[in-house]
Every structure is written in structure tokens, then in C-alpha cells.
Amino acid sequence: MVQAQGAAPTHIAAALRIEGPAAPGSTVMVALDMKPAKGWHGYWSNPGDAGFGMTLKWTQGDVAADADFGTPLYPVPETLVIAGLMNHVYEHDYAVLIPYRVPANARPGTVLPIAVRAQWLACTDQICVPEQARLAAEVRVVAPQGPAATSAQFDAWRARLPAPLGSPARVAIEGPVLRLGIPLPASVPLQAPHVFVSDERVIDYAAAQDFRRQGDLLVVTLKRASGATSPPAGLNGVLKLNRAGDGLAFAAAPGAVAAGGEPIAGAAGATGPGSLIWLVLAALGGGLLLNIMPCVFPILSLKALSLARAGESEAEARREGLAYTAGVVLACAGLGALLLTLRAGGSEVGWAFQLQDPSVVALLLLLALAITANLAGLYEFAVPGFVNRAGGSGANGAFATGLLAAFVATPCTGPFMAAAMGAALLLPVAEAMLLFVALGLGLALPFLAIAFVPPLRRALPRPGAWMVRFRHAMAVPMALTALALAWLTWRLAGPTILALDLMLAAALVGVLAVVGGRQRRGLGAAGIGTGGLVGLGLAAALIPLVIAPQAPDKARGVVPSQPFSAAALARAQASGQPVFVWMTADWCLTCKVNERVAIERTETRDAFARGGVVVLKGDWTRRDPEITRYLAGRGAAGVPLYVWYPGGSAAPVTLPQLLTPDSLTSLTGKR
């Protein structure tokens, strides 16, 4: 990233920044980095009742170059009412992003000087000062070398932009009001929502805005501007979703919008107690259902032995149930807190973000292998709770098992959970954390019930020699989990890193074999085992940091698809064809089951071909800010997500997360 020459002192300090080098004919993002002084604010593109927006005049060298720069992209603004006038402002640091198209005849190795004459208005509550600056920077031209690298700072700025709605909105005029219909899943919570209209002199900015839900349609009633006579040809703007500044950019075409609907709780659209209770119950139910989801099955082997011996002692069973629950809830709350912290810092991440990191996957691979060796009897290890020990160590093992169960299980999303986790990314921190805790409690609920309900414990088999055989049998699903993690390492980081991780895995098995041999001879082995596990774990985590991960080429599937992007979705919708958006990830076992059962089938391919369906596939195996923004816009925190756009002006439909063989083949007949 390149910082421009400094501007003259102003109440809003400005700098011109470039995301990085660019190839001839490509587009690179340019940012106007604006930093208002304390008590001052700048303005959105449509400033509202007072003020004026920013004007930009670009040059490249000494030649005017406005045509080479795209439309400025503004973050979601804030409202500021002074003396009854509504202003659309920024009272904190913000950045305006502008795409710049590098000339196709630019030669690699050269440096292109660009400059802008920027004018803006800086205001306080009592005074406004017109300001301007000439800002300059340089774009380094490089030879084409694949996808351009992104900057963490630019990713953070992009995270503050409104996400594209992805489906057309409608606007209707009824006398003195405009009624706006915005397709928005009912699971997306609204907290103090506000509509910012890009077009000037269309609505009364300071008038109250009425928000109502009609299922998956949000109906907003806006008062027309005084003196407005001709109906608008359309309406463009931003829907602010919450106080955190998340928003959706929409484009509304004229069309019918029915009145009525369920009012949004609270005059300002804040999330009401009733909706929060529903979301908590959804998170609880989602966690409970995780116990039967395909992606959670390997971790069930970790619970099975503890559940089987829970009938030994009522007090011990309750201690283990509480310890296991504490581990699960702590892991879910910790992952939730980390997720919210990363998003607050500008990172565009979603649920299961940890499995998008090759280092984390490498550590999980070694851990799964260590658990497999333990279950197979290669060595003995009290934590995470496989070994029948007396005293308090059983609770320690149950706690560790709960931590691991939650960490491995939470990448999945299922019924109820998707709505709750999507809401958690938009709610205030306290309410969001309540949902993460409820998710963990739901995941732990079966174990907790067996611990505290004597009839359930009595229904379990009595301890005996069968437990040893069962333990060895449970090594099989854990070994399959380790294989799946090895495959995911290859998909995330490529064959070189996989080969190095497998060498570390072989070394780990060797260390554990030595530990087991010493244990069988009655010798101490804790130091060897702990030191070996920590050392190999650190090596596995550092490998992707030393060697750049390189993903293998994608295999072609049965159903032809295009890579997802907001631009590709807009083009497909503009064509009038039906569109199937398919969000998946290699680490999502539910996604893979759906693909085998319903998507990657010749019947689906033929039905889509007959219906002229455009298939857009979003691969979220690695972090992708554009996919994250789309997921957030659809009220989803993770994958799988399947959205059907019937074509024309019909609203999109979010499909179930568990597909059946005819879920997709029947869609083309419902246009």
C-alpha cells in the first residue's frame, strides 16, 4: 500500500492510498483515507438536508483521467439531526474506495503517477468549512501474475461498505409516500434500521421511516419530499441494518408493494425481547440438532465412552455432565467472542472461520491422529476423557472433551442454527454472546440430560469388557476424521504443505508409540508425550506461515457452474434467467452430503439445462470477503447456503440447508 504526499492541514485529514501494484488493463482499488478531527464530520455522497458531497477531479500525470476511475464507493453513513435537518455523515475515520483501471498499454516496471483534486465539506454542530486538497500517489505496473493480492487495510475498508443486496427491490408511490419492498430474510435482525436514498430530492430525509416485515420481504414506508411531483424511475440507496454500521446496497425498480406487515419491534427498529427469545431458542435448538448432523458424527465417538460409564456413580455422572457442558459452552463462547472481535476489526469472517486457516487445520489433523491412536490403544492419555479414572480426573477429561467437541462440531450449520448465528453477527455484543452460549448449551444438552436424569442413565449398558472393544471400534471414525483433515489440508494449502504435515503426523505416531511402550513397562512418559505433541504442533502451525499455501486446481463437477461474484450475479439476473447460488466449503461435511445427494447429479444437471439455469458456486474454503458479504446479506453466518432466483422480478428464495434428491430438480417447474 502506498501513501500519497500529505495534504495541507484541514479539519478532515485526507490521504490517497493504493492497494498495490497492478497489471496492464487490470483494476486496482484507490482509497481516499479521511480522518475527521474530534467533533467534526464529513458527508456521504447524498449529504441529506444540508451540506454537500465530495467532488473529485482525477489526473494521470498532466492529463485529465476521470474516465479511468469508477464510481466512488462509500461506507454506510450515520444519521445526524441538527435543528430538524437530517444529515448523512461520518463522525469517525472512514475511507471512500474508487476503482482505477490501469491503461492496457502501460508497460510492466513503470510507475504511473495519479492525482486528484478533492473538495469536501467539514462541519461541526455549529460551523461548516469547505476544504480541499491535491492528493497524489503512484501505481506500480507489474506483469500479469494471477489474482492480485489484497491489503488487510483495504479489506477492512471493504468490510464497511454496504453489501450488495443480490436481488431486486421494488418501489411504489401512494400519494405522499413511497413504499419500498426489500427482499430480506426474516432471520436477519434489524436494530435501529434506516434507509439512505442516494437520489436527491426524492424523500423527506428527516421524516420517520416505517419498517414492517411480510415474511422475507421488508416493507419500508418513506415520506416523499415536499414538491416532488414526477415519480422516480427507480430508487437506489443503502439499508442500514444495525448500530454497528452493517448495511445492504439496493436498487429498486417500480413495482407493486403491498401495505401492511408486522411492525419492527421498537420505534427505532431495535430488536425486541420477543425476537431475542426466539433467537435464543433457535440457537439452543440448532446446537441440539448438531448432535445428529453428518459433520458432527466423528466427535460422537469422543462422547460415547463417557456416556457409557456415566452410570457408575450418580455424583460422578453429574460432575462429568457439568464439566462437559462447561467445556462446550466455553468453546462456543470463545469462538463467538473471537469472531465478533475479528469482525469489529474489519475482517470479513463468518462462522467456522477457523477451518479457513491451514495452521488450524494442521493442528486439528495432529490432534485427531493422537485421539485415534489413543482409542486404538497405542498409548494412554487421561485427557480428553477416554480413560476410566477415579476421583476428579473424569471431570477434567469431560471438560476437555467438551472443548474439543464444540471446536470440531461448530463449523456446521443446520436448521435453526443458521438464523441464530446470522443474527449474532448483527446484534450488539451482549445479545450476540447470549446466542453463542445458547448454541453451546444446546450441543451439550443430551450429555447433560443423561447426567441428571437417572432413568436415562439406567438405560445405558452396564460397564464391562465390551467397552474396550467399543473404544477400539471408535478409532475408525476418528481415523476417517484425520483423513478428512488431511484432504482439507491439500485443498487449502496444496500438496507440498500436505506432505510436510503428513511427515509430522508420522513423527507424532512414532512419539506416541514410544510413550505407549514406556507406559506398558511402568515407566514415566508424560514429559516425552507433552514435549513431542507441543513441538510437532508448533511445527505444523508454522509450516503454512513459512511456505505460501497453494490450492490445487478445482475439479470439474457434474453440474456446470461459474465462480460466484456480485457482478456475476447481477449479470445473470439482468439476463432474466433463473439463477442457483450455491455456497459451499471443502471443510463442510453437510455441504458435501448435499452435493452428493442433490446437486452433483445428472438429473439436476439436465433439469438446470432445460430451464436455462445459471449456476454460481461460491467456494468459502478460504476466506473470501465477497462471499462473506453475500452470506451476511442473506442473514447467514456460514455454509451451506442455497438461494434460488426464479428469474424476472420474482424475489429470491433461500432453500433448506438439508437437500433431498428432488429439491433442485423441482425448481425449474416453479418459475
Side-chain angles (χ1 to χ4, degrees):
M1 186 164 58
V2 181
Q3 181 168 349
Q5 72 181 47
T10 55
H11 298 292
I12 301 181
L16 184 63
R17 304 182 187 276
I18 312 297
E19 185 162 20
S26 67
T27 298
V28 65
M29 198 63 77
V30 176
L32 286 169
D33 186 5
M34 312 294 287
K35 299 183 182 298
K38 185 176 181 180
W40 292 79
H41 58 260
Y43 288 89
W44 189 47
S45 56
N46 178 357
D49 285 323
F52 60 78
M54 185 184 299
T55 62
L56 304 173
K57 293 189 179 299
W58 295 93
T59 58
Q60 182 180 305
D62 297 326
V63 180
D66 284 340
D68 294 329
F69 291 84
T71 302
L73 306 173
Y74 285 78
V76 179
E78 304 156 352
T79 57
L80 177 64
V81 180
I82 301 176
L85 299 178
M86 170 69 76
N87 302 290
H88 307 151
V89 304
Y90 303 103
E91 297 182 287
H92 52 75
D93 294 354
Y94 65 101
V96 179
L97 304 184
I98 306 98
Y100 167 61
R101 187 179 67 253
V102 179
N105 59 358
R107 291 179 299 175
T110 60
V111 173
L112 299 179
I114 63 172
V116 63
R117 173 66 65 182
Q119 295 179 306
W120 64 88
L121 190 66
C123 294
T124 68
D125 291 352
Q126 284 115 19
I127 187 173
C128 287
V129 179
E131 297 183 342
Q132 63 178 348
R134 183 183 184 278
L135 306 171
E138 294 178 336
V139 177
R140 185 162 56 90
V141 183
V142 296
Q145 49 187 359
T150 60
S151 154
Q153 178 63 76
F154 273 78
D155 284 343
W157 285 331
R158 271 188 284 264
R160 307 315 304 161
L161 299 177
L165 180 60
S167 53
R170 302 188 299 274
V171 60
I173 296 179
E174 286 196 10
V177 300
L178 294 175
R179 186 167 291 117
L180 183 64
I182 302 176
L184 186 72
S187 59
V188 177
L190 295 174
Q191 181 195 50
H194 190 85
V195 168
F196 297 90
V197 175
S198 303
D199 311 277
E200 296 188 16
R201 295 182 294 278
V202 174
I203 69 167
D204 183 341
Y205 303 117
Q209 300 182 350
D210 180 72
F211 291 82
R212 296 174 182 267
R213 289 193 188 275
Q214 297 176 6
D216 287 338
L217 184 71
L218 178 68
V219 176
V220 188
T221 302
L222 308 170
K223 184 180 178 182
R224 297 181 67 190
S226 177
T229 54
S230 58
L235 201 67
N236 300 301
V238 170
L239 168 64
K240 183 179 180 180
L241 298 173
N242 51 40
R243 294 188 181 95
D246 297 306
L248 298 172
F250 65 83
V257 180
E262 180 183 356
I264 301 297
T271 302
S275 60
L276 180 60
I277 291 173
W278 185 91
L279 289 171
V280 170
L281 292 176
L284 191 71
L288 182 63
L289 289 176
L290 273 180
N291 288 279
I292 60 172
M293 294 291 286
C295 53
V296 185
F297 175 73
I299 209 64
L300 294 180
S301 62
L302 302 183
K303 299 181 190 179
L305 292 177
S306 294
L307 290 172
R309 65 183 182 85
E312 294 177 356
S313 161
E314 183 172 337
E316 178 66 16
R318 292 184 176 183
R319 277 196 297 269
E320 289 200 29
L322 291 174
Y324 175 82
T325 301
V328 172
V329 171
L330 181 62
C332 288
L335 286 171
L338 180 58
L339 173 61
L340 295 176
T341 301
L342 291 173
R343 288 180 68 88
S347 298
E348 295 194 71
V349 295
W351 195 240
F353 65 95
Q354 67 272 22
L355 291 186
Q356 296 172 324
D357 187 331
S359 295
V360 174
V361 174
L363 290 174
L364 281 174
L365 170 60
L366 295 184
L367 182 58
L369 195 60
I371 295 170
T372 301
N374 178 269
L375 290 170
L378 184 63
Y379 75 105
E380 298 296 336
F381 189 42
V383 175
F386 308 120
V387 184
N388 183 13
R389 294 173 60 95
S393 59
N396 293 336
F399 177 79
T401 303
L403 288 173
L404 184 60
F407 189 73
V408 175
T410 47
C412 293
T413 54
F416 306 121
M417 181 181 165
M421 293 301 97
L425 301 184
L426 300 174
L427 287 172
V429 173
E431 296 175 8
M433 289 304 299
L434 180 61
L435 296 185
F436 291 123
V437 169
L439 174 70
L441 185 60
L443 181 59
L445 201 55
F447 197 100
L448 193 63
I450 290 175
F452 278 83
V453 180
L456 292 178
R457 289 201 307 277
R458 288 194 294 268
L460 294 173
R462 295 179 63 83
W466 69 269
M467 293 181 64
V468 176
R469 295 190 296 272
F470 181 75
R471 168 181 164 175
H472 292 165
M474 288 300 97
V476 175
M478 284 311 304
L480 294 176
T481 301
L483 286 174
L485 289 167
W487 176 78
L488 178 57
T489 301
W490 172 62
R491 300 299 299 172
L492 273 173
T496 301
I497 291 180
L498 172 61
L500 293 174
D501 282 349
L502 291 179
M503 292 172 60
L504 294 177
L508 175 63
V509 173
V511 170
L512 296 179
V514 171
V515 170
R518 290 180 63 86
Q519 288 174 336
R520 286 186 287 273
R521 296 195 302 272
L523 303 175
I528 297 174
T530 302
L533 189 61
V534 171
L536 292 170
L538 287 174
L542 290 173
I543 283 175
L545 302 179
V546 176
I547 302 175
Q550 184 174 9
D553 294 334
K554 289 288 182 183
R556 296 184 65 85
V558 175
V559 175
S561 63
Q562 306 172 28
F564 171 84
S565 68
L569 178 59
R571 288 193 300 269
Q573 288 185 276
S575 71
Q577 296 174 271
V579 184
F580 175 60
V581 173
W582 160 20
M583 294 296 179
T584 183
D586 285 340
W587 38 259
C588 173
L589 293 182
T590 306
C591 303
K592 298 306 171 187
V593 171
N594 283 334
E595 287 159 21
R596 177 178 292 273
V597 169
I599 301 177
E600 294 287 20
R601 302 169 67 240
T602 54
E603 294 88 345
T604 304
R605 179 197 63 195
D606 295 343
F608 280 3
R610 289 192 298 270
V613 178
V614 178
V615 179
L616 299 179
K617 180 179 179 181
D619 187 350
W620 207 42
T621 303
R622 293 161 206 82
R623 292 177 188 172
D624 187 315
E626 191 163 22
I627 291 177
T628 305
R629 286 194 293 270
Y630 180 82
L631 292 172
R634 297 298 306 176
V639 292
L641 176 69
Y642 310 107
V643 184
W644 172 252
Y645 294 80
S649 59
V653 178
T654 299
L655 303 179
Q657 290 186 311
L658 296 178
L659 302 178
T660 62
D662 62 347
S663 292
L664 302 182
T665 54
S666 62
L667 290 174
T668 53
K670 298 180 180 180
R671 296 179 61 183

